Amino acid sequence: MPAQTSEVVIIGAGLIGLATAWRLAADGIQVTVCDPTPGTQTSSVAAGMLAPVTEVEYGEDELLALNLASVAAWPTFAEELEALTGLPAGLNRTGTLSVAYDVDDAAAIHRLADYQRRLGLEVEELSGREARKREPLLAAGVSAGVWVPGDHSVNNRETVAALLEAVELVGVSLVRQRVTRVLTAGTAAVGVELEDGSTISSSQIVAATGPWSAKLEGIPQELRPPVRPIKGEILRLRVPEAYRPALQHTVRATARGFAVYLVPRPGGELVVGATTSELGYDTRVLAGGVFSLLRDARMVLPITDELELVECVAGLRPATPDNAPILGPSGLDGLMWATGHYRNGVLLTPITAQVIADTIRSGLPDLAKPFLASRFSSGPSHLADRSEGPGE
Amino acid sequence: MPAQTSEVVIIGAGLIGLATAWRLAADGIQVTVCDPTPGTQTSSVAAGMLAPVTEVEYGEDELLALNLASVAAWPTFAEELEALTGLPAGLNRTGTLSVAYDVDDAAAIHRLADYQRRLGLEVEELSGREARKREPLLAAGVSAGVWVPGDHSVNNRETVAALLEAVELVGVSLVRQRVTRVLTAGTAAVGVELEDGSTISSSQIVAATGPWSAKLEGIPQELRPPVRPIKGEILRLRVPEAYRPALQHTVRATARGFAVYLVPRPGGELVVGATTSELGYDTRVLAGGVFSLLRDARMVLPITDELELVECVAGLRPATPDNAPILGPSGLDGLMWATGHYRNGVLLTPITAQVIADTIRSGLPDLAKPFLASRFSSGPSHLADRSEGPGE
């Protein structure tokens, strides 16, 4: 088959790959995105929380800065996407309410609120009664809350649909095939091979390959990123008209030590997530996962029992050893990573697209420097990796 | 549109309607069955237990006799269906194990076992340990069991598929339309009207209309049967190869006062049922229903957590005031009921088909006499109804 060429080839048409393709093509760059099933994997399974505050973990300050930058970028990202496509981008800026069930749960969320406040994040501690004032259908057993006005949510399926439209409008070539390997010449990536045996030559490849990143063929073993799949099961419930809105804000609960979140959508959908399992590339929905989500959700929101269970689905989070993404140069000239977003893929979509586009235009921005793949390698230093930026 | 005619018209292509059509057409009678979606409703939702013994309720002796006659008829029914079609009929004769969780549960199943034994049914009381010997994956907390060798199960989706093939082979005309009304002339039913406005004339109509029986138009109000829908949610799980067979027998559990059953299929499916809700014609699967099934199933079979949740579905049982079906003459000449089978539709399929075929050929058999619709009416006596049998 004749070889094609493209200025940039992006492997993977999830939210990250699609947003990056849109940003690059809008700048006049010729972009090809390869994916056998665009937008259907983790990007369509996720609940879509934009939760830099409520997802903060002790000691992840650099990731917090990136997350905050991305939540700040979301409104403009959504406006531009809507202006271009005429479709909803799915952003829902209604804030998040953390709630606790028993005394231990309350201690845990208060401890986290202290830490969040020390980081300068906006949080407001509430009694159980004050929490129920904001969300009247919460269980009487909810003992405490923390109001987090800056954490929002996105209907990520709407975002996927809008991005698929956007990439078409800006002239991205979408190839519905799996990339079987990255083609190299010496120490450089020079293209990709597709499952039909054809190839696309390119001097700049972006691997937005999510949980499959470590399996991408053609990359030297020592440069493969330490990304592993962590399965999450998630439920989609439907709130009958008579009970709407069951919730007005995202509710994150710590219920007898278990974490569960409930993300309401305008229109009556309520997304409940998520389990966490280290089971490799298994996307079966297990009965035990569904049971635990329902058990925890109904503990804090008893009306859960009366909602229709519309969908049970599992997806794979692309996890890294430090929970932070892998962005920018890979150590192989001409190949960049935009992967490893773990629980923050929807949140980090705008900033990742911007970082990759900036890197291709003018080199890696400072914000992204803590997230190079080389932080996991014992060999070459960060500086060595940085010198391989495609802007050079 | 031109009026068609048929010797017999059957309304409803569930198991009851299809089996009746097969039996009549095999005798050389011209049969038309009308159903917009043959075999897709309750008949494909049910778990398929053949449980005359374990479903027995105090004081339902006439129903028990009918149920026992039908479970005895199943093997021949299945053999004939398989011989005709070459397809599996789905019968699985592996017996049923009732188990109890706590002390109160054990008392309940022992009390029922006493009653079953007094009725002459074959039951064998077991300790928790003996129950686990028969089903090693049962929870350590299972405290007692009752072995019921005569209660079996059917993969009812296989039965539906085989019956659809059978009716085609014996020349039944299957009309994929809804019957909008029964047509009458004086005190007789004379045909049916279809949703496209066409009609089929017939001097013998059989309403195998299940939970929709009371809504059948064209029938005088006082002759409408007291059938109401009772919703049941049901789950289909998949047992991974490594754990097969998770169960070898149908397991019915009484777990902290809740009833749940687990029906294994050859091939790894495990059906878990069923909730009971009086919600009219609502077939939404509610989160609370799924939760309660999983809670009870995992209490007696902990490995439930590791099984894939493949399907959550709800169906409508056609319930009557005395839990027994409504068979035979309706009080309207030329219209017979084959409905109201509540929890026993799969079980009662062979005997119902036989009763209706016998009634059309030679009058209502004695076995069916307790199940006339007239038992619910304050007006005409049973005898009056019997005189209207189509054999006259």
Side-chain angles (χ1 to χ4, degrees), chain B residues 88-153:
Chain B
L91 180 59
N92 190 17
R93 300 172 75 180
T94 54
T96 292
L97 181 64
S98 279
V99 301
Y101 196 77
D102 66 22
V103 176
D104 289 341
D105 299 331
I109 73 166
H110 287 150
R111 212 157 44 228
L112 189 60
D114 279 345
Y115 180 65
Q116 289 160 338
R117 197 174 290 110
R118 284 202 306 278
L119 292 172
L121 303 172
E122 189 181 352
V123 295
E124 180 190 347
E125 280 161 288
L126 308 175
S127 67
R129 190 173 169 164
E130 288 164 336
R132 277 186 295 280
K133 243 183 168 165
R134 289 182 189 264
E135 290 292 0
L137 296 185
L138 287 175
V142 164
S143 63
V146 175
W147 171 241
V148 183
D151 276 7
H152 302 302
S153 71

Side-chain angles (χ1 to χ4, degrees), chain B residues 14-37:
Chain B
L15 284 168
I16 302 289
L18 290 171
T20 303
W22 168 41
R23 290 315 205 183
L24 288 169
D27 280 356
I29 295 173
Q30 184 203 4
V31 182
T32 301
V33 183
C34 306
D35 193 317
T37 55

Side-chain angles (χ1 to χ4, degrees), chain B residues 224-305:
Chain B
R224 294 197 180 193
V227 175
R228 70 187 195 284
I230 297 191
K231 173 166 135 179
E233 282 135 338
I234 212 163
L235 311 178
R236 280 175 165 77
L237 309 179
R238 177 150 295 283
V239 182
E241 296 268 4
Y243 302 148
R244 287 187 203 169
L247 292 178
Q248 293 168 275
H249 316 283
T250 296
V251 168
R252 302 179 66 109
T254 306
R256 293 192 168 138
F258 296 105
V260 68
Y261 54 75
L262 301 98
V263 184
R265 309 267 196 238
E269 188 174 77
L270 183 68
V271 186
V272 177
T275 60
T276 300
S277 325
E278 300 260 10
L279 289 169
Y281 291 92
D282 178 352
T283 54
R284 293 174 306 140
V285 172
L286 297 189
V290 174
F291 172 76
S292 66
L293 292 173
L294 292 174
R295 175 197 62 200
D296 300 341
R298 67 197 291 280
M299 205 187 313
V300 292
L301 187 73
I303 205 174
T304 297
D305 277 354

Side-chain angles (χ1 to χ4, degrees), chain B residues 177-192:
Chain B
Q177 282 197 65
R178 191 168 68 83
V179 167
T180 48
R181 62 188 299 115
V182 172
L183 302 171
T184 55
T187 62
V190 296
V192 297

Side-chain angles (χ1 to χ4, degrees), chain B residues 322-369:
Chain B
D322 61 4
N323 294 340
I326 299 176
L327 304 178
S330 66
L332 193 65
D333 289 343
L335 177 70
M336 283 203 292
W337 294 115
T339 188
H341 292 81
Y342 191 36
R343 299 168 60 91
N344 295 313
V346 178
L347 169 60
L348 289 174
T349 292
I351 202 79
T352 300
Q354 187 184 316
V355 161
I356 301 299
D358 286 354
T359 305
I360 287 175
R361 280 189 299 247
S362 54
L364 194 72
D366 286 346
L367 178 77
K369 287 183 178 162

Side-chain angles (χ1 to χ4, degrees), chain B residues 152-200:
Chain B
H152 302 302
S153 71
V154 163
N155 183 336
N156 40 299
R157 292 182 176 177
E158 289 185 344
T159 318
V160 165
L163 281 171
L164 284 168
E165 176 71 10
V167 297
E168 190 173 328
L169 290 172
V170 296
V172 169
S173 167
L174 184 56
V175 175
R176 290 173 187 267
Q177 282 197 65
R178 191 168 68 83
V179 167
T180 48
R181 62 188 299 115
V182 172
L183 302 171
T184 55
T187 62
V190 296
V192 297
E193 179 189 80
L194 302 174
E195 56 188 328
D196 71 357
S198 66
T199 60
I200 306 173

